Amino acid sequence: MSIFKVHETYQELKRYGRIVSVLVRYGFGDLLHRLKVSHVAWQRMFTKEARALESLSTPERVRLAFEELGPTFIKFGQVLSSRPDLLSTEFVKELSKLQDSVPPFPFGDAKALIEAQFGRPLTEVFASFEEEPLAAASLAQVHRARTKAGDEVAVKVQRPGIADIIETDIRILRDLAALCERHLPESRYYEPVRIVDEFARTIRREMDFVREGRNIDRFRKYFAGDETVYISKAFWDLTAPKVLTMEYIHGIKVSELEQLQAAGIDRKTVAINGANFILKEVFEFHFFHADPHPGNIFVLENNVVAPVDFGMIGMLDEEIVRQLGIVFTAIVKKDADMLVNVLLSIGLAPEPIDRNAFRLELADFLERYYELPLKQLIIRIIINELMGIIRRYRLRFPPELVMMAKALVINQGVGTMLYPEFNIIEHARPYVQKLMMRRLDPARQLKEFFKLAGETALFFKKLPSDLREILAKLRKGELGIRFEHRGLERLIGELDRSSNRLSFAVIIAALIIGSSLVFQTGAGPKLFGYPLLGLAGFLVASILGIWLLVGILRSGRL
């Protein structure tokens, strides 16, 4: 094994220990014990601190632990906060508080990284470069600079070494997720490994600044003719995987209400422009900004909205958007059967559900909102209630769809902050109607018919060969049924532990009997007048016996 591999393994073990100790300190020792990764010494060491945190709720303790564990876990918590279909409202609310704000790293590190990315001195890359960053986060920080051509730009520089830290944490998170699936049967509904894998894809994309530059270009293309939205451009000759150079935005953050007022900005118009921006993204382009919080939205003259930070993007395929339109239509028409059908077609049910009970809950949900005017419908409350029903029936939705729902909720919050009477549902209605009318377009229907006909023809074309393969395996005796047990892992573990202890006891008994026979015969070399082999046998038997006794006492089962 190379010295580099040894160092990497040591760093990972060290990080693993740090993560376990923090989780124990925040009161998750019992959980780690069930996962077979905790240690009695750690639990005793942090017992007092864990008791001091007992007054805090579980979501609060999870948030505090994630904050202490740093960038990867903060990002992981933020991603989890966008999954109200999996987590309760309390967890989503608490994890949404995670702040991605850390002290900036030294200018010297930023300079070295830029020079390494472009292969030449910083003075040859930019005409000027401000040493003090404009903003700093866990993955990167942003500096103001000027290009050789005289353009004022914002330069996003990745935090040195952050990629290695994140990759190490992802491996550990995946190990913990696999242990959850193995030892916690109740966690399998959530598919922890799949959640970690989705998070890994998300954060790796966010760390690829070339990809973010392409996202910027795509948004510029989509909103090129829209006078209410401005997308800054990327400078490709000054962009690399860890450095992104963008046009500098001279605007006011949407959350700075007093400055907006002083600049003569019409806050109601800004709220409407922001709503139209996200609704166009979702219903027309199917490609949306997945993190439209107030810090990522600037306002320019004439009430123009200028979003920034396109690292986290969501994409929806045509079919999901169509089904989303049906959801809105079912809610407006108070059609519980339509809503049941579309939700079951969108979501995956890991086990059969009580369809009648599901329909009754959805009918009650629709009844509560049917007669209310649009201005009284609050999208945050509606989505939270709908997601609560989905959680109860354990439906799993595509992450992009849930991410889109969160983006709409964030936009509602920003709009209300600007203009208290703002309601995004009022502005969404024409987009949904346009979407449904587009579905009825004859040319589109014909296109979908030919697509379905092609898929059907392909199915029947492959069917004979598939049947021949099945029959061939059946004749050869290669076709079988595999049974998989579930929920017996704990029993199997206890049986393994019991058999191991029994084996130890047999070995100890054999050593004692053998040593006694050696003492009786007096064979072999002597030590202080006693047979050396006999003494060695008794010593080994004593050590193994003490080890076995300690293991039994630690398990708490005599």
Side-chain angles (χ1 to χ4, degrees):
M1 185 182 290
S2 69
I3 188 170
F4 299 106
K5 188 66 177 176
V6 171
H7 177 71
E8 180 181 319
T9 304
Y10 169 73
Q11 291 297 330
E12 189 163 331
L13 288 172
K14 184 178 177 183
R15 178 62 174 162
Y16 210 122
R18 165 73 175 156
I19 290 169
V20 169
S21 65
V22 168
L23 292 177
V24 170
R25 181 146 44 85
Y26 281 95
F28 300 104
D30 290 341
L31 173 64
L32 291 170
H33 182 69
R34 289 185 66 192
L35 297 181
K36 311 280 192 292
V37 296
S38 66
H39 193 279
V40 166
W42 281 331
Q43 294 191 45
R44 288 175 180 167
M45 189 184 304
F46 299 118
T47 296
K48 289 183 179 179
E49 292 183 62
R51 285 176 180 168
L53 296 167
E54 283 180 354
S55 60
L56 300 177
S57 67
T58 300
E60 286 176 314
R61 288 186 285 116
V62 170
R63 175 181 61 81
L64 291 171
F66 279 12
E67 283 179 349
E68 187 167 333
L69 288 171
T72 311
F73 284 80
I74 289 173
K75 287 287 182 184
F76 186 51
Q78 290 172 342
V79 169
L80 289 177
S81 73
S82 67
R83 299 304 307 269
D85 58 324
L86 295 178
L87 299 181
S88 67
T89 304
E90 293 75 18
F91 264 104
V92 169
K93 183 178 179 181
E94 197 63 36
L95 293 178
S96 297
K97 296 178 184 178
L98 286 166
Q99 296 297 312
D100 187 18
S101 179
V102 295
F105 55 88
F107 167 70
D109 292 345
K111 178 174 179 289
L113 189 141
I114 292 171
E115 292 177 345
Q117 290 283 289
F118 295 109
R120 58 186 192 272
L122 181 64
T123 52
E124 293 182 14
V125 180
F126 297 99
S128 64
F129 194 95
E130 292 187 6
E131 295 188 10
E132 192 69 25
L134 297 169
S138 56
L139 299 186
Q141 63 188 34
V142 179
H143 292 260
R144 184 186 294 185
R146 193 171 293 277
T147 68
K148 294 291 185 179
D151 295 302
E152 193 173 8
V153 293
V155 185
K156 188 175 181 180
V157 185
Q158 194 169 113
R159 191 171 286 272
I162 192 65
D164 293 336
I165 293 171
I166 285 173
E167 288 301 325
T168 297
D169 284 352
I170 286 173
R171 288 193 295 271
I172 294 172
L173 274 171
R174 202 177 192 286
D175 286 345
L176 292 174
L179 288 172
C180 283
E181 291 192 357
R182 186 184 308 162
H183 299 296
L184 305 179
E186 66 271 22
S187 74
R188 289 176 194 145
Y189 154 65
Y190 301 98
E191 295 186 301
V193 172
R194 184 176 63 86
I195 290 174
V196 172
D197 287 343
E198 288 172 358
F199 165 68
R201 284 194 296 273
T202 299
I203 198 167
R204 284 167 183 155
R205 288 172 182 168
E206 194 172 351
M207 291 175 62
D208 183 354
F209 290 175
V210 172
R211 187 186 187 97
E212 183 175 348
R214 294 196 192 103
N215 292 338
I216 291 172
D217 281 355
R218 191 166 172 180
F219 276 103
R220 278 180 65 83
K221 177 184 175 183
Y222 288 152
F223 291 94
D226 193 328
E227 295 181 355
T228 66
V229 177
Y230 185 79
I231 309 293
S232 62
K233 70 175 182 178
F235 289 76
W236 283 106
D237 56 330
L238 299 173
T239 292
K242 296 183 179 181
V243 178
L244 173 61
T245 303
M246 307 158 285
E247 178 185 357
Y248 185 82
I249 295 291
H250 287 277
I252 304 170
K253 282 187 179 181
V254 74
S255 56
E256 296 173 342
L257 302 182
E258 292 182 3
Q259 293 188 38
L260 292 175
Q261 191 75 24
I265 298 295
D266 185 342
R267 284 157 49 177
K268 179 180 178 181
T269 303
V270 171
I272 294 171
N273 290 344
N276 287 330
F277 165 68
I278 193 166
L279 292 169
K280 281 183 179 180
E281 290 180 305
V282 171
F283 291 103
E284 293 185 13
F285 308 132
H286 311 163
F287 184 78
F288 61 94
H289 193 305
D291 193 22
H293 65 76
N296 283 339
I297 302 173
F298 287 81
V299 181
L300 310 181
E301 292 181 358
N302 300 319
N303 310 310
V304 174
V305 174
V308 298
D309 193 356
F310 296 92
M312 192 178 291
I313 295 299
M315 290 179 283
L316 302 171
D317 61 36
E318 187 71 26
E319 181 60 22
I320 286 182
V321 175
R322 183 188 72 82
Q323 292 170 328
L324 185 62
I326 296 173
V327 170
F328 277 96
T329 303
I331 292 173
V332 170
K333 291 184 176 181
K334 201 174 98 170
D335 191 330
D337 289 313
M338 182 189 292
L339 192 56
V340 167
N341 291 333
V342 70
L343 290 179
L344 291 179
S345 66
I346 294 174
L348 175 65
E351 54 191 40
I353 71 169
D354 186 340
R355 188 184 178 96
N356 189 51
F358 186 47
R359 183 193 177 282
L360 288 174
E361 281 213 48
L362 289 176
D364 179 64
F365 164 77
L366 293 174
E367 188 69 38
R368 288 199 302 275
Y369 296 106
Y370 183 60
E371 297 294 338
L372 291 178
L374 286 178
K375 64 181 181 180
Q376 293 184 25
L377 297 177
I378 308 300
I379 194 169
R380 174 180 54 81
I381 296 174
I382 291 174
I383 288 177
N384 284 343
E385 285 200 26
L386 188 57
M387 290 300 172
I389 296 172
I390 287 166
R391 280 197 309 273
R392 282 196 293 278
Y393 287 89
R394 298 199 163 194
L395 288 178
R396 291 199 298 264
F397 273 22
E400 294 80 6
L401 189 60
V402 185
M403 195 183 298
M404 179 275 300
K406 183 184 178 184
L408 291 176
V409 171
I410 293 174
N411 184 269
Q412 171 70 53
V414 173
T416 305
M417 176 183 65
L418 291 166
Y419 175 63
E421 289 77 24
F422 171 80
N423 192 317
I424 195 171
I425 294 180
E426 293 184 73
H427 300 283
R429 188 170 188 172
Y431 287 94
V432 175
Q433 290 174 339
K434 185 178 178 181
L435 173 68
M436 299 312 294
M437 291 300 296
R438 197 163 69 238
R439 292 293 307 169
L440 299 175
D441 180 50
R444 191 180 189 89
Q445 294 286 340
L446 189 63
K447 181 180 177 182
E448 289 188 1
F449 171 76
F450 281 118
K451 180 182 177 182
L452 179 62
E455 291 175 351
T456 304
L458 182 62
F459 169 76
F460 282 109
K461 186 178 180 180
K462 288 184 64 181
L463 184 60
S465 62
D466 290 343
L467 287 174
R468 280 196 299 271
E469 185 178 347
I470 292 171
L471 290 172
K473 287 186 175 182
L474 192 60
R475 282 195 297 268
K476 293 178 181 178
E478 295 176 356
L479 195 65
I481 300 174
R482 182 169 65 90
F483 290 95
E484 180 181 354
H485 66 75
R486 295 199 174 188
L488 299 178
E489 288 80 3
R490 190 175 182 86
L491 175 61
I492 292 170
E494 291 298 330
L495 290 173
D496 285 342
R497 192 175 295 110
S498 299
S499 62
N500 289 338
R501 288 174 180 169
L502 184 60
S503 300
F504 255 68
V506 171
I507 293 170
I508 293 167
L511 284 170
I512 293 172
I513 293 170
S515 300
S516 299
L517 291 173
V518 171
F519 263 76
Q520 288 291 330
T521 60
K526 301 287 195 301
L527 181 66
F528 304 118
Y530 298 103
L532 184 58
L533 287 175
L535 288 172
F538 280 128
L539 179 62
V540 172
S542 300
I543 293 172
L544 292 177
I546 293 170
W547 189 5
L548 178 61
L549 180 61
V550 169
I552 293 172
L553 291 173
R554 283 177 58 184
S555 70
R557 298 185 183 94
L558 283 174

